[in-house]
Structure formats: C-alpha cells, structure tokens
Amino acid sequence: MKLTAIDLDGTLLDHSGKIPEKNQEALHAFDQQGGIVVLATGRSILSVKKVFAQLSMNGYVLASNGAYIAQVKQGETTSVLKRFDIPIKTINQAFQLAEEVGVTIVASRETQDDRITFETAPVEVDSPYYAQFHLKDSSTKTLLKQVNDGTISYFKLAFNDTDVDKLATLRQKFDTAGIRSVYTDVHWLEVMADGVNKGTSLSFLADYLHIDPEEVVAFGDQENDIEMLKVSGVGVAMDNALEPVKAIAQQITTSNEEAGVAEVLEEYL
C-alpha cells in the first residue's frame, strides 16, 4: 500500500483524544518506508495541523470532511490543493433551519470557527471533538451579513446538540430543503458543499499524487467515513464503528482503544 487515509475521532484517536503509542509507531514506520499518511476528518484544518505536529511527521489533510485538502509539513500548511466553499444560499437556509429547531451552529473557515447558540448557555458535549474548534461566539444576523456581502465564506457547517431528536428533526428539514448532511457523531450533524465528502476528496488526492485507489488503505468508524472506505483498495472499519460502516468495509480491525489502526498497518510494513 502506498497511501493510508485515516479518520481521527473514534479511529486513530482513543476516547480521550490521544494517539495510542502503537498507532504512532505504525504511522512512523509506514512513513519511513515511503508511504503517504493522510488524516481524513471532520475536524478543522487548525485541529489537524496540531495532530501532525504531535506526530512529528508530514503528510496530507482532508479536513472538514474533505472540504479542505492540503499538504502539511512540520505542523504547518504548505499548500492548499483544493477547498470547497458552501454556496451562500445553502448557508442562509441551513442557518434559518437550525434556528427554527434551536440547534447550536459551528461554522468553519480557515482562521476560526464561528458559533451561534440559541439557548441561555452554549450546548456543549464533553468530548475531544468539541475541544478542537477555535471558537468565537456570534449571532445569525452578524454572520449572515458578512456571508451575503462576501466578507467571509465557510467550507463546513456543524450542528451540535445533546438532544438527538432535535438533530434528527433538523436533518429531516435539511432533506426537504435539498441540503445533504452527514453524521460525524451521535451529537454532530454536518453540512459541506454539494458533492463534497471524504471519498471524493480522497479520489482527488490519489489522482493528484498519481496513486491507484487500489493502493490505498482507509480507516473509519462513522457515517462520514463510508464514501472514503468505498473508494479505497482496502476499506477498514473499526470494531467500534457503526454497523453500516462495517457492512461496506472489506476488513474489520480492533477498536480505537486497542490501536486497531496499527494492527492493520503492520500488515503492510
């Protein structure tokens, strides 16, 4: 295998958001033998750069579910290969629907993540996923004014609530409005530009690097990983993955708590 594409939360990282030592060792060995490491995640580019810095290695990033494709060296972005901004109309619709349901919005751009809450206090989930955002609180009116006049743009909208029924209601509203959304966790529903996902972005990167998809091994655990596993030569689901993810995977490894990524990568060293 020439390239490995790896999801972070629930896959490479353990429940506390750390990289198990065995995973680190396997990634370094894969890198040293000439393999290309790609971190493919719903997390923002700011967060993924920190993970690469912790690993002390270089590679590529499919951040924000593939909406931001970049090369990272020494913990910094050296080149942005592709980014997919969400259309202004979609942002306006999504903000309006989230406000109707009362679900927190986290809108990602390159330099920060803008948060809008509709409760007395921000609705937070105690998880490493929430901690990765570089948050600045704002209002719908303020942000939409900037979006509509072209001052800012977003490549991912994340919707967070501890009430899964509210998220399900929001997803139904998105479906009715023709807005595609994907779950990255039970408490997170996310929207990118139409047609953007980890699978399409991984295909783009493999083509850019002149690597046959059959020479790619990908790892994931959530709904947003399905397309990526499908386009890879070997799609690997974690033991802790959702059943739909396991159903399309060619291989199932041990859980993220047991360094399941390393267990498979070692087969290719």
Side-chain angles (χ1 to χ4, degrees):
M1 290 294 175
K2 294 184 177 180
L3 183 152
T4 181
I6 310 170
D7 171 56
L8 292 181
D9 295 279
T11 302
L12 182 67
L13 309 181
D14 62 21
H15 73 282
S16 65
K18 296 181 180 180
I19 309 170
E21 186 175 343
K22 286 186 178 180
N23 282 349
Q24 294 189 45
E25 292 172 353
L27 284 176
H28 278 284
F30 187 79
D31 175 66
Q32 289 168 7
Q33 73 174 23
I36 296 173
V37 175
V38 179
L39 299 182
T41 176
R43 291 185 177 219
S44 70
I45 181 61
L46 298 172
S47 177
V48 191
K49 287 193 297 185
K50 292 178 181 178
V51 176
F52 263 124
Q54 291 169 9
L55 285 168
S56 298
M57 62 189 301
N58 305 326
Y60 291 86
V61 169
L62 307 180
S64 296
N65 293 317
Y68 193 95
I69 308 170
Q71 185 176 23
V72 174
K73 292 183 178 179
Q74 297 181 337
E76 294 297 331
T77 303
T78 56
S79 61
V80 179
L81 307 182
K82 197 86 171 176
R83 60 171 289 167
F84 303 89
D85 291 330
I86 302 171
I88 292 174
K89 179 182 177 181
T90 302
I91 296 172
N92 277 270
Q93 285 181 305
F95 274 37
Q96 178 186 344
L97 294 173
E99 187 168 9
E100 288 177 7
V101 181
V103 170
T104 295
I105 304 170
V106 179
S108 295
R109 40 184 163 136
E110 243 172 328
T111 55
Q112 70 183 47
D113 303 287
D114 298 315
R115 179 171 61 179
I116 304 170
T117 56
F118 305 107
E119 305 291 340
T120 304
V123 178
E124 296 192 19
V125 174
D126 184 19
S127 72
Y129 193 81
Y130 208 112
Q132 55 99 6
F133 291 108
H134 185 58
L135 293 168
K136 181 179 179 181
D137 288 305
S138 190
S139 67
T140 303
K141 182 179 180 180
T142 298
L143 294 180
L144 286 185
K145 181 180 184 299
Q146 293 177 290
V147 166
N148 291 326
D149 68 19
T151 305
I152 60 175
S153 60
Y154 295 118
F155 43 81
K156 189 185 78 168
L157 305 179
F159 304 88
N160 168 241
D161 206 288
T162 54
D163 186 340
V164 296
D165 291 333
K166 285 172 68 176
L167 286 178
T169 298
L170 181 59
R171 190 176 207 184
Q172 290 176 350
K173 287 180 177 289
F174 283 161
D175 289 344
T176 301
I179 299 173
R180 183 183 179 276
S181 60
V182 62
Y183 278 104
T184 56
D185 186 79
V186 66
H187 297 292
W188 290 93
L189 184 66
E190 302 188 349
V191 169
M192 287 71 61
D194 195 33
V196 175
N197 57 62
K198 292 184 184 182
T200 55
S201 293
L202 179 57
S203 295
F204 168 87
L205 181 61
D207 184 63
Y208 173 83
L209 296 171
H210 306 292
I211 293 176
D212 190 315
E214 290 301 313
E215 296 178 302
V216 174
V217 54
F219 299 82
D221 71 309
Q222 289 288 333
E223 182 184 18
N224 62 325
D225 297 314
I226 289 176
E227 290 93 345
M228 178 173 73
L229 269 57
K230 283 183 175 179
V231 302
S232 301
V234 178
V236 183
M238 310 303 292
D239 186 58
N240 52 284
L242 298 179
E243 288 305 318
V245 181
K246 291 180 178 180
I248 59 91
Q250 285 97 344
Q251 189 173 342
I252 297 175
T253 186
T254 52
S255 75
N256 63 318
E257 295 298 316
E258 302 167 284
V261 169
E263 182 174 298
V264 174
L265 276 187
E266 287 169 357
E267 299 175 15
Y268 301 105
L269 300 179

